[in-house]
Amino acid sequence: RVENFFALVVMYGICKRQLLVVLFAINTNVLPAARDVCTQYLWHQGIGVERMWQFLLHLLARRAEQMLVVDVKNEIRELEFLKANCTIEDPKFHRMTMEHISQMEAEYIWLTLPFSLALGAIFLGPHLLYAFHGTLLPPKTGEEAETIDEDQFAELDSLSVKASNQNIEISVLKQRMLDLEKKLGSQSGV
């Protein structure tokens, strides 16, 4: 249950982050891909990796680049507009920060709140219903539970008889097949 809950929280975080990235792009009129390219450029220049978490992201990006077919360093060097537009002083292409997230949440509360509630209902609703189904549904009385058990045992007995009959039929069919193979083998040998 814990790992399932953790996975749902991570999925919620990913979906919510994507919504905020789209809202930030609409608000600033800059595509997220442009921000990513600018961030890569700054990281390759050694700019913007002063904090520990930024440095770790930088290292992770470098490892991911090693798996690509293209040479990212050469591709970034060829993009001349990056030198003029991607500077640490001009925040136009900077990554979304916690301040931006708070600003987007406050500015678009009419969208982020229903989105969060809908995601919560989709992700957590079934789990909560399952967890509390004993209190939401009345428990079966002794007679009802016994009747259900008897019905299930009767159904199991019926299925057992059917399976036994099918095994007998399979044995008969196997014997017929062997007899036919012998008959065909003896006719072809003559």
Side-chain angles (χ1 to χ4, degrees):
R1 292 220 175 257
V2 173
E3 62 271 5
N4 197 4
F5 180 75
F6 180 72
L8 293 175
V9 168
V10 169
M11 282 300 300
Y12 169 80
I14 290 170
C15 292
K16 183 73 179 264
R17 172 109 177 131
Q18 286 304 112
L19 173 70
L20 293 171
V21 165
V22 168
L23 291 175
F24 190 54
I26 291 170
N27 205 28
T28 59
N29 203 24
V30 175
L31 289 174
R35 291 183 197 288
D36 293 341
V37 170
C38 187
T39 300
Q40 285 288 326
Y41 172 76
L42 291 174
W43 283 354
H44 279 281
Q45 303 302 315
I47 302 170
V49 291
E50 296 82 29
R51 295 187 190 118
M52 184 59 162
W53 66 270
Q54 290 173 325
F55 180 71
L56 292 175
L57 284 175
H58 171 67
L59 287 178
L60 181 66
R62 290 287 179 131
R63 296 300 156 249
E65 287 173 8
Q66 292 174 350
M67 293 183 255
L68 297 175
V69 178
V70 295
D71 185 13
V72 176
K73 288 180 184 178
N74 288 337
E75 294 292 327
I76 288 178
R77 274 190 226 119
E78 290 178 12
L79 298 173
E80 289 297 323
F81 79 93
L82 292 175
K83 292 178 184 171
N85 292 317
C86 290
T87 61
I88 201 73
E89 294 83 22
D90 183 15
K92 181 178 180 181
F93 291 103
H94 287 185
R95 297 180 63 79
M96 184 169 61
T97 63
M98 291 304 288
E99 291 176 27
H100 294 125
I101 290 173
S102 299
Q103 179 186 355
M104 294 298 109
E105 292 253 353
E107 189 173 337
Y108 295 101
I109 189 77
W110 55 271
L111 182 63
T112 57
L113 183 62
F115 183 80
S116 294
L117 292 174
L119 280 179
I122 290 169
F123 289 150
L124 297 178
H127 293 280
L128 292 174
L129 288 175
Y130 179 74
F132 297 111
H133 79 282
T135 56
L136 298 174
L137 298 174
K140 301 288 183 194
T141 62
E143 283 183 22
E144 291 174 335
E146 287 179 22
T147 304
I148 291 172
D149 286 344
E150 289 172 5
D151 291 345
Q152 288 176 348
F153 284 128
E155 189 176 344
L156 285 173
D157 291 339
S158 169
L159 290 172
S160 178
V161 169
K162 284 182 182 178
S164 179
N165 290 338
Q166 286 177 346
N167 283 335
I168 292 171
E169 289 177 19
I170 289 171
S171 297
V172 169
L173 288 173
K174 281 182 182 178
Q175 187 59 45
R176 283 185 184 171
M177 186 178 74
L178 290 172
D179 292 343
L180 282 173
E181 285 177 353
K182 285 180 186 177
K183 187 177 180 180
L184 288 173
S186 66
Q187 286 179 356
S188 64
V190 176

